[in-house]
Amino acid sequence: MDKRYITGKQIKDMLLGAYHSFEKNYQVINDLNVFPVPDGDTGTNMSLTFSGAAEMTLASDAQNAGKLLSVLASSALRNARGNSGVILSQIFRGISKSITQDTIDVPSLKLALRGGSDTAYR
């Protein structure tokens, strides 16, 4: 496989790594959230949102990068917990809107990440 592209399998691998990172570090995010109100559950809500979305995406038999990202976005919204979970789901939604192809190249990734930021910001 050409190393200039990200495949569906690589997306699943990255997703699994991110999932484990969230599991280990959600409390750090909770501790960071002190403005405007130290509610202490931002990391927990993001972790719960991400874990539900990751489980559904990892269980998907889709091989296409775009299809996997679409599954991730829709399952994140269905599993969203709290405001931070909804914002996280919107980041995934924005990323998935611009990726439909089997693999992702660098220019497409750049546009997708910008789309994630723009969608969550609105």
Side-chain angles (χ1 to χ4, degrees), residues 4-79:
R4 295 175 291 178
Y5 295 92
I6 299 171
T7 65
K9 175 168 178 358
Q10 289 169 318
I11 287 174
K12 281 189 171 185
D13 291 344
M14 288 186 282
L15 191 57
L16 189 59
Y19 172 65
H20 290 304
S21 183
F22 257 110
E23 281 186 322
K24 290 178 187 172
N25 297 297
Y26 73 91
Q27 189 59 46
V28 173
I29 299 169
N30 284 343
D31 294 343
L32 287 173
N33 185 20
V34 295
F35 180 82
V37 177
D39 61 8
D41 66 353
T42 297
T44 301
N45 288 336
M46 290 177 74
S47 181
L48 290 170
T49 299
F50 193 79
S51 68
E55 287 174 16
M56 292 177 79
T57 305
L58 292 169
S60 171
D61 60 358
Q63 300 298 311
N64 175 296
K67 180 67 175 169
L68 284 170
L69 290 172
S70 178
V71 170
L72 176 64
S74 64
S75 59
L77 183 57
R78 284 195 301 271
N79 286 281

